[in-house]
């Protein structure tokens, strides 16, 4: 790779949703938030790093408010009032009592939202909401932005900076945002995406219709909003909503449920049969939960839960089962009818282009919860999907089936290269794992085992050597058309390394999202990296 640390991925794309972190040292600097390293970043994953254009737009809006604040302020920008209200409620919960919601029209009209004058939501190219908070409480603002995925997109911010009459109207990037947005094309794109998802999650015995699919601006927005829809179905006397998290899930899923929405979460973190026995025992002894969240398979250890048994427990004890299928996709597996809701991050392999965000939910029409869930989801209206993002997502996803199958086949080849190598301690992949039989229950006749693999090496030195020598893109995210590697635990769990290690997610875990390159190219780069790991292992043993 000829890129520099901090450059966007894909190379040269200002809307790239990953950032190049070529060495282990670079990833550590990112995880430790070294100011000099952060200053080099041109971009980063949009939920982990609020884009500079979004910060610029927020600052311009704050300049124009007439509110008097006791200290310097920042603002979270959201496209919908409900998300803004959720943000303000979260701020109040964490001790920020004076947060204000400001409604901003692209014409320049700025009003503070008070009880009784809540404006009607409009499309995010015409109206946004700014939720204020003190600069000194920046971590809390960042937490809401990251865990909920409810903020505006980069394309939205660029459109405002280039076309809002009250702003500078400068050209932000080389390709200018259109002054007149293609609403009709955007609307058609969203319908096409929903149809594409409905077909992909259906099976010969179960048909999902387009109106059972909902689009969201991010995958975490899908998780967050679905949890609120489910919560609305239960009127618990103590007001506490309890959920189970089964398996070691993606970091923000647990945090949006527990930290942002204050749900009482029971964690069954290994996702094994022993965990399932413990869950069943807890339920039989009086544990009451509204929902269970899991992934199929889990990220990053790629274990598959016994979804059939979980679903039987849900029917016995009356809770909703929500499954995230992002790391294998509905191209490879058919999870209905053994769950009630499938959530996906479309940012990943559905798009593949690594240049647009998106999320979705699909409802199981045969679920016992369907008649209640469908109106609840409709009432809990998601943040609007910006038309330019929808158009890019639709174009990117036209060949999703072919790409998923190609990447899955490539990954099997890479796994075979890794297994048995003297520097490799364990390879985590659905095929060949202790839970392969559970995965195979749901694998489609032409489906593979996914495009994600994680590796634990014999020594930390071998892991670092392999990572640094692997000549592919490196940075956060997964499901890209190009192979993307990362030091996963440093990115996702740096502040809780000991806790993550208790579940097998060790500090020096290397995760690879394999792309659709030729097999020869992949063999070459993997062999080179394995040779570097071998040399590091020999040097360590020799010393």
């Amino acid at each position: 790779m000829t890129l520099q640390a901090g450059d966007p991925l894909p190379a040269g794309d200002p809307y790239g949703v990953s950032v190049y972190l070529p060495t282990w040292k670079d990833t550590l600097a990112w995880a430790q938030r070294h100011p000099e390293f952060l200053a080099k970043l041109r971009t980063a994953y949009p939920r982990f790093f609020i884009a500079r254009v979004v910060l610029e737009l927020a600052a311009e809006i704050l300049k124009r408010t007439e509110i008097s604040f006791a200290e310097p302020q920042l603002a979270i920008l959201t496209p919908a009032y409900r998300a803004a209200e959720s943000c303000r409620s979260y701020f109040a919960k964490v001790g920020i009592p004076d947060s204000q919601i400001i409604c901003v029209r692209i014409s320049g009209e700025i009003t503070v939202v008070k009880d009784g004058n809540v404006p009607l939501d409009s499309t995010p190219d015409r109206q946004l909401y700014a939720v204020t908070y003190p600069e000194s409480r920046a971590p809390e603002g960042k937490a809401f932005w990251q865990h909920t995925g409810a903020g505006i997109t980069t394309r939205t911010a660029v459109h405002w900076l280039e076309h809002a009459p009250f702003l500078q109207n400068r050209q932000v990037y080389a390709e200018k945002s259109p002054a007149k947005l293609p609403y009709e094309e955007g609307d058609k794109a969203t319908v096409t995406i929903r149809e594409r998802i409905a077909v992909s999650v259906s099976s010969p015995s179960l048909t999902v219709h387009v109106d059972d699919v909902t689009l969201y601006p991010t995958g975490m927005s899908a998780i967050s909003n679905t949890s609120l829809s489910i919560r609305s179905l239960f009127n618990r006397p103590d007001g506490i909503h309890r959920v189970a998290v089964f398996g070691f899930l993606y970091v923000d899923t647990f945090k949006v449920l527990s930290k942002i929405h204050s749900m009482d979460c029971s964690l069954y973190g290994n996702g094994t049969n022993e965990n399932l026995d413990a869950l069943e025992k807890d339920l039989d002894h009086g544990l009451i939960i509204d929902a269970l969240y899991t992934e199929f398979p889990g990220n990053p250890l790629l274990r598959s839960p016994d979804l059939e048994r979980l679903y039987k427990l849900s029917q016995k004890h009356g809770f909703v089962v929500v499954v995230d299928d992002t790391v294998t996709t509905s191209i490879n597996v058919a999870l209905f009818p053994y769950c009630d809701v499938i959530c996906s991050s479309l940012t990943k392999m559905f798009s593949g282009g690594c240049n647009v965000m998106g999320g979705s939910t699909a409802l199981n029409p045969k679920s016992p919860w369907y008649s209640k869930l469908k109106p609840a989801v409709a009432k809990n209206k998601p943040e609007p999907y910006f038309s330019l993002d929808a158009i890019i997502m639709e174009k990117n996803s036209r060949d999703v089936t072919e790409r998923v199958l190609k990447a899955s086949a490539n990954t099997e080849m890479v796994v075979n290269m890794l297994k048995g190598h003297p520097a490799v301690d364990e390879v985590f992949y659905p095929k060949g794992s202790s839970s392969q039989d559970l995965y195979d229950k749901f694998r489609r006749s032409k489906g593979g085992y996914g495009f994600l693999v994680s590796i634990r090496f014999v020594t930390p030195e071998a892991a670092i050597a392999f990572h640094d020598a692997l000549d592919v893109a490196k940075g956060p995210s997964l499901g890209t058309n190009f192979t993307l590697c990362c030091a996963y635990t440093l990115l996702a769990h740096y502040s809780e390394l000991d806790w993550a290690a208790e579940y097998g997610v060790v500090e020096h875990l290397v995760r690879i999202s394999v792309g659709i390159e030729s097999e020869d190219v992949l063999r070459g780069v993997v062999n080179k990296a394995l040779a570097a790991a071998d040399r590091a292992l020999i040097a360590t043993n020799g010393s």
Side-chain angles (χ1 to χ4, degrees):
M1 302 289 287
T2 58
L3 300 176
Q4 300 296 313
D7 284 351
L9 294 171
D13 191 333
Y15 297 105
V17 303
S18 190
V19 61
Y20 190 45
L21 304 175
T23 69
W24 199 275
K25 183 179 179 181
D26 291 327
T27 306
L28 192 60
W30 158 256
Q32 295 174 340
R33 300 298 191 264
H34 287 181
E36 62 274 17
F37 183 80
L38 295 182
K40 294 193 299 184
L41 295 181
R42 293 173 55 196
T43 186
Y45 194 73
R47 285 191 303 97
F48 293 171
F49 177 90
I50 303 178
R52 300 194 189 284
V53 289
V54 174
L55 294 174
E56 181 181 347
L57 178 57
E60 291 290 344
I61 290 170
L62 285 172
K63 277 184 199 176
R64 289 161 172 79
T65 65
E66 297 180 356
I67 308 172
S68 177
F69 294 104
E71 61 176 292
Q73 298 286 297
L74 299 173
I76 293 292
L77 301 183
T78 73
Y81 175 73
R82 189 176 51 77
E85 182 56 44
S86 178
C87 182
R88 183 168 64 177
S89 295
Y90 169 70
F91 284 159
K93 183 178 68 177
V94 296
I96 307 174
D98 299 323
S99 177
Q100 301 289 328
I101 298 178
I102 301 166
C103 178
V104 188
R105 301 284 297 177
I106 200 164
S107 60
E109 180 185 355
I110 297 176
T111 57
V112 179
V113 178
K114 299 292 186 182
D115 293 339
N117 71 335
V118 175
L120 294 175
D121 277 332
S122 181
T123 53
D125 60 296
R126 297 172 182 169
Q127 183 170 286
L128 297 176
Y129 299 90
V131 188
T132 66
Y133 62 104
E135 278 187 5
S136 61
R137 304 300 297 272
E140 284 84 355
K142 171 69 164 44
F144 183 86
W145 179 274
Q146 174 177 331
H147 302 326
T148 66
I152 66 168
T153 69
T154 303
R155 284 183 179 84
T156 305
V158 169
H159 179 79
W160 275 67
L161 289 171
E162 292 186 341
H163 300 297
F166 67 99
L167 297 177
Q168 300 170 15
N169 303 129
R170 66 181 180 84
Q171 187 163 340
V172 177
Y173 297 137
E175 184 176 341
K176 191 174 178 67
S177 175
K180 185 177 180 181
L181 291 175
Y183 296 112
E184 185 176 350
E185 186 182 357
D187 290 343
K188 288 180 178 178
T190 59
V191 173
T192 300
I193 293 167
R194 290 168 60 212
E195 290 173 341
R196 197 165 287 156
I197 294 167
V199 170
S200 75
V201 297
S202 296
S203 66
S205 62
L206 190 150
T207 300
V208 176
H209 298 285
V210 65
D211 59 354
D212 295 325
V213 176
T214 305
L215 291 188
Y216 298 84
T218 65
M220 281 313 304
S221 176
I223 295 282
S224 176
N225 280 284
T226 299
S227 73
L228 296 178
S229 296
I230 293 171
R231 184 167 70 180
S232 71
L233 304 182
F234 298 89
N235 184 20
R236 301 299 185 192
D238 58 5
I240 299 175
H241 295 273
R242 297 175 176 85
V243 300
V245 175
F246 193 81
F248 192 92
L249 308 193
Y250 175 61
V251 56
D252 286 323
T253 297
F254 187 84
K255 290 187 176 179
V256 75
L257 298 173
S258 60
K259 185 174 182 178
I260 304 298
H261 296 319
S262 301
M263 296 181 181
D264 186 345
C265 297
S266 298
L267 177 62
Y268 299 84
N270 290 315
T272 60
N273 284 333
E274 289 77 11
N275 278 163
L276 194 42
D277 291 340
L279 171 64
E280 184 170 16
K281 182 178 179 181
D282 290 344
L283 290 167
D284 287 341
H285 284 76
L287 174 67
I288 296 174
I289 58 175
D290 298 337
L292 179 142
Y293 294 81
T294 192
E295 294 173 350
F296 193 97
N299 176 19
L301 299 183
L302 289 308
R303 294 193 189 104
S304 301
D306 190 339
L307 200 54
E308 186 173 359
R309 187 177 164 195
L310 282 172
Y311 201 53
K312 288 179 180 177
L313 284 178
S314 77
Q315 293 174 321
K316 178 181 177 182
H317 293 280
F319 57 86
V320 181
V321 175
V322 181
V323 182
D324 185 336
D325 72 345
T326 299
V327 302
T328 187
T329 80
S330 57
I331 306 301
N332 282 323
V333 295
L335 302 183
F336 285 155
Y338 291 102
C339 59
D340 304 298
V341 185
I342 293 175
C343 289
S344 295
S345 173
L346 306 181
T347 309
K348 311 305 192 299
M349 189 56 90
F350 186 83
S351 164
C354 196
N355 62 353
V356 65
M357 303 283 280
S360 69
T361 60
L363 301 182
N364 173 5
K366 293 186 178 180
S367 162
W369 293 100
Y370 179 77
S371 62
K372 293 181 179 180
L373 268 175
K374 191 163 184 176
V377 170
K379 184 177 180 181
N380 196 63
K381 188 178 178 182
E383 298 84 19
Y385 204 13
F386 190 52
S387 59
L388 296 181
D389 292 314
I391 291 167
I392 297 295
M393 181 64 76
E394 190 281 317
K395 289 179 179 177
N396 286 358
S397 61
R398 290 174 185 174
D399 60 349
V400 59
T401 298
E402 293 81 2
R403 290 185 291 102
V404 167
L405 296 178
K406 172 60 176 173
S408 297
N410 279 348
T411 310
E412 284 199 47
M413 180 199 71
V414 170
V415 167
N416 289 335
M417 296 176 68
L418 295 167
K419 284 187 173 180
H421 190 277
V424 174
D425 182 42
E426 188 170 1
V427 177
F428 300 94
Y429 189 62
K431 187 175 183 180
S433 73
S434 59
S435 62
Q436 179 180 338
D437 61 322
L438 299 173
Y439 186 99
D440 283 341
K441 282 185 181 180
F442 302 95
R443 185 164 63 93
R444 295 184 186 272
S445 59
K446 296 183 180 180
Y449 291 89
F451 45 83
L452 200 66
V453 57
S454 296
I455 314 140
R456 185 169 62 204
F457 288 84
V458 173
T459 65
E461 293 81 6
I464 295 170
F466 177 91
H467 174 277
D468 289 359
L470 191 67
D471 189 18
V472 300
K474 293 174 200 153
S477 198
L478 58 92
T480 48
N481 292 334
F482 51 87
T483 295
L484 181 64
C485 174
C486 72
Y488 177 81
T489 314
L490 294 186
L491 287 175
H493 299 287
Y494 182 73
S495 64
E496 50 194 15
L497 292 175
D498 291 342
W499 174 81
E502 293 176 9
Y503 296 96
V505 183
V506 297
E507 179 177 349
H508 290 86
L509 192 76
V510 175
R511 193 189 72 182
I512 306 175
S513 175
V514 180
I516 59 174
E517 300 94 338
S518 73
E519 291 186 4
D520 287 344
V521 167
L522 288 171
R523 282 195 189 95
V525 296
V526 173
N527 276 327
K528 180 181 176 182
L530 284 172
D534 208 14
R535 291 192 295 271
L537 182 64
I538 292 169
T540 302
N541 290 340
S543 63

